[in-house]
Amino acid sequence: MQVPWLQISGAVAGGVVGGFSGFIANTFHDHRMRRRAKRNIACALIGEIGALSQHIEENYLSMLRADLASCGEAPAIVHHAFRGDRDYMPVFRALGSTVGYLPTPLPRDLVYWYTSLAAGLERARALHELSGQRDPDAVAFAVRLAKLQDAAFIDLLARSRALLAQLDRI
């Protein structure tokens, strides 16, 4: 029994074309899933970074500056907006393992931003603990720490604007 050459070549070509189309469809589907994951991660981080930045700018920095301005009148610095004893970054902690889906410089910048926020929260906790002390050395240290905190959070807010712009382009 002889199998015509056209049937053999048709069967081989059909297998190759079918396999290739399956590969293309799978690749296209994988690309869409990665893009959707990137966009979901970006949207979640945009919400959290935006909310934290707004809270720092509207509440914490205004209180910090008011306390610094009244430092000569009252020896104690009182802070209540952030105390550093809560987790202010639940979205980032939940998405931490998937941040690698984002384009290359962005995960590093995000980690740096959240690390800077954590350092600021530690300073906020120290300022809160120093607020009850009446020792002149402690007050002087609190004033220096408050000035450092003000500068650090201004830098953090500038970085948040750049991060939000990068995340919004995804």
Side-chain angles (χ1 to χ4, degrees):
M1 170 158 107
Q2 280 194 334
V3 180
W5 176 249
L6 236 69
Q7 286 180 336
I8 293 174
S9 64
V12 169
V16 168
V17 169
F20 187 69
S21 65
F23 173 76
I24 294 294
N26 189 30
T27 302
F28 179 72
H29 178 70
D30 187 46
H31 176 71
R32 286 187 50 137
M33 293 302 289
R34 273 185 165 279
R35 188 163 187 232
R36 185 177 299 149
K38 280 190 222 178
R39 190 66 196 146
N40 288 344
I41 293 166
C43 286
L45 290 173
I46 285 171
E48 184 171 73
I49 291 171
L52 285 168
S53 297
Q54 182 178 0
H55 186 72
I56 289 169
E57 195 168 20
E58 292 176 359
N59 300 318
Y60 186 70
L61 281 178
S62 62
M63 285 177 49
L64 187 66
R65 289 178 182 145
D67 289 342
L68 281 171
S70 68
C71 185
E73 302 163 12
I77 295 178
V78 180
H79 299 280
H80 297 289
F82 278 122
R83 287 201 316 247
D85 57 355
R86 291 192 175 94
D87 184 15
Y88 292 101
M89 19 190 161
V91 173
F92 180 72
R93 292 199 195 288
L95 296 175
S97 64
T98 58
V99 170
Y101 282 125
L102 298 174
T104 303
L106 202 50
R108 183 195 66 220
D109 294 343
L110 283 166
V111 169
Y112 182 81
W113 191 89
Y114 277 102
T115 302
S116 299
L117 176 65
L121 292 174
E122 289 174 12
R123 280 190 302 273
R125 183 179 186 98
L127 281 169
H128 181 73
E129 290 171 0
L130 287 170
S131 67
Q133 296 185 11
R134 300 285 180 205
D135 179 28
D137 292 335
V139 172
F141 177 69
V143 169
R144 284 194 311 271
L145 194 60
K147 288 178 181 176
L148 177 69
Q149 181 78 324
D150 185 55
F153 272 148
I154 287 172
D155 181 54
L156 187 73
L157 291 173
R159 289 180 187 277
S160 71
R161 288 182 194 97
L163 271 175
L164 291 174
Q166 284 180 325
L167 287 168
D168 202 32
R169 284 189 292 237
I170 292 177

